[in-house]
Amino acid sequence: MEKKSCKNCNLCKLAYRLFWYSFSKSYDYYCTENDEMTEAENVCYKWRQKEKQAVDLSAARFVEAEEDINIIKKLVFVNFINN
């Protein structure tokens, strides 16, 4: 088992940042329990082991993902044009 840290805590989520017109990983983590940004190496007494997630690789899921991406692209483009 890995050493306990925010990187492998179920309560911490990887943050993404908007850079120009695309999103990229920031390597910062957001702790949903403490409601604050944190670093991957940090750990607190509220640490929870990550749960295994079921993977859905069905064709319908990919179609839904493509539709979601197209909506996001339209929203980003419209927001970029208006600003």
Side-chain angles (χ1 to χ4, degrees), residues 40-78:
E41 300 81 30
N42 292 352
V43 66
C44 70
Y45 69 93
K46 298 176 183 178
W47 184 89
R48 301 286 183 268
Q49 185 171 2
K50 286 200 181 237
E51 300 169 1
K52 298 282 183 184
Q53 300 292 325
V55 179
D56 180 11
L57 298 177
S58 65
R61 180 68 181 119
F62 282 102
V63 169
E64 181 184 344
E66 287 177 354
E67 291 170 356
D68 292 345
I69 289 171
N70 286 331
I71 291 170
I72 292 170
K73 285 172 30 179
K74 287 177 186 174
L75 291 172
V76 169
F77 182 72
V78 167

Side-chain angles (χ1 to χ4, degrees), residues 4-53:
K4 291 181 179 180
S5 67
C6 289
K7 184 176 182 178
N8 58 24
C9 176
N10 194 43
L11 301 173
C12 290
K13 308 300 179 200
L14 188 61
Y16 286 80
R17 302 211 186 256
L18 179 62
F19 184 73
W20 287 91
Y21 56 88
S22 65
F23 289 93
S24 62
K25 288 182 186 178
S26 68
Y27 299 103
D28 292 327
Y29 287 80
Y30 179 76
C31 180
T32 58
E33 188 68 24
N34 294 328
D35 207 18
E36 64 184 11
M37 297 298 290
T38 183
E39 294 182 11
E41 300 81 30
N42 292 352
V43 66
C44 70
Y45 69 93
K46 298 176 183 178
W47 184 89
R48 301 286 183 268
Q49 185 171 2
K50 286 200 181 237
E51 300 169 1
K52 298 282 183 184
Q53 300 292 325

